[in-house]
Amino acid sequence: MAYESPEYHPAFEEYCETIFELEEDDIDVIQARIVERLQVSRPAVSEMIKKMGEANLVYFHGTQIHLTDDGKLLANQVVRRHRLAERFLTDVLGLSWAEAHHEAGRWEHVISPSVEAAFLRVLDDPTTCPHGNPIPGTNYQVPEGASVLSDLDAGKNFVVERIPEELEFEPGLLEFLEESNLIPGENGTVTAVSPDGTTTVEVKGTMIGVGAFASQRILVTT
């Protein structure tokens, strides 16, 4: 079933989406984190958060920013359409992960409920985006026994489950993971763990070094 909410300015949608994604990745939502994610100035973020508070989309608890019920509804709608668009762009149109991520950032603001319903029909009701992140409103279930790649010892086999949104904003990382076949559903084996936190894995016969930042966030099951 499609989420529906009143129409808001695309900037409100983008900020609600950002707050949703930061919370999803267990990152404390303060203004500095929004500045980093959106690459905008601190004064611009402060002004936008003030406007969103006046629109009853966010509220403060100390220094942390949270979505109101209206904010959550809007965020769910935007994130849902973004992730459905990514799935369509990769699965049907054959775009790369990185291309789909950037293009979906445009599509998420203009997808109507009827187009969203068509996506669901064509894609056969997917529960995740291409990177394994859950699509709001679906019956997605967190895989049992899921952990992050960095928790595994050498010799351990794994299946990639999810590449969190935080990694999608690291320059070149989506391209690297896709080219290395470190994608949801793919099997691999940890071959070594370095003191600097780098995890070396073997996927499809190729050795890949995954830095600490990524290996501490990629969700896998064993």
Side-chain angles (χ1 to χ4, degrees):
M1 180 178 178
Y3 284 94
E4 293 189 39
S5 68
E7 289 190 7
Y8 290 96
H9 191 279
F12 280 8
E13 296 181 346
E14 185 173 30
Y15 272 71
C16 283
E17 177 185 27
T18 297
I19 294 167
F20 176 101
E21 291 173 349
L22 290 169
E23 289 184 338
E24 184 179 49
D25 289 341
D26 294 323
I27 298 171
D28 290 340
V29 185
I30 59 176
Q31 291 194 21
R33 300 291 84 76
I34 298 175
V35 168
E36 292 169 358
R37 178 62 61 90
L38 295 180
Q39 296 293 295
V40 294
S41 70
R42 180 66 177 265
V45 170
S46 296
E47 181 64 23
M48 182 57 69
I49 293 299
K50 179 182 177 182
K51 291 179 180 178
M52 292 176 69
E54 294 169 351
N56 192 37
L57 292 172
V58 299
Y59 67 94
F60 277 95
H61 181 73
T63 60
Q64 294 194 35
I65 303 164
H66 298 278
L67 295 169
T68 64
D69 287 343
D70 286 347
K72 290 176 183 176
L73 183 64
L74 179 58
N76 275 305
Q77 173 181 289
V78 178
V79 172
R80 177 182 174 84
R81 292 176 178 174
H82 180 101
R83 293 178 181 176
L84 280 171
E86 284 185 319
R87 179 63 74 181
F88 179 81
L89 289 164
T90 56
D91 294 9
V92 177
L93 300 187
L95 268 63
S96 70
W97 270 10
E99 290 176 306
H101 175 69
H102 293 302
E103 193 66 34
R106 302 183 182 95
W107 287 31
E108 65 191 27
H109 302 296
V110 297
I111 294 173
S112 67
S114 60
V115 171
E116 180 181 333
F119 276 167
L120 290 169
R121 184 175 64 254
V122 170
L123 297 169
D124 195 24
D125 293 320
T127 60
T128 70
C129 76
H131 321 116
N133 294 303
I135 296 173
T138 67
N139 62 354
Y140 172 84
Q141 298 292 323
V142 177
E144 290 187 13
S147 63
V148 292
L149 181 60
S150 62
D151 285 347
L152 305 187
D153 295 325
K156 200 74 172 179
N157 297 321
F158 64 86
V159 178
V160 179
E161 294 290 342
R162 182 178 170 193
I163 309 298
E165 288 285 345
E166 188 176 8
L167 298 185
E168 297 185 29
F169 290 88
E170 288 296 306
L173 189 52
L174 277 185
E175 293 91 333
F176 168 76
L177 294 173
E178 186 175 25
E179 290 168 3
S180 300
N181 287 304
L182 273 170
I183 59 178
E186 194 59 69
N187 298 284
T189 303
V190 175
T191 60
V193 180
S194 302
D196 67 358
T198 298
T199 300
T200 302
V201 301
E202 181 178 359
V203 178
K204 290 190 171 181
T206 300
M207 294 295 180
I208 306 149
V210 184
F213 183 82
S215 65
Q216 291 167 4
R217 290 163 175 79
I218 295 173
L219 196 69
V220 300
T221 52
T222 56

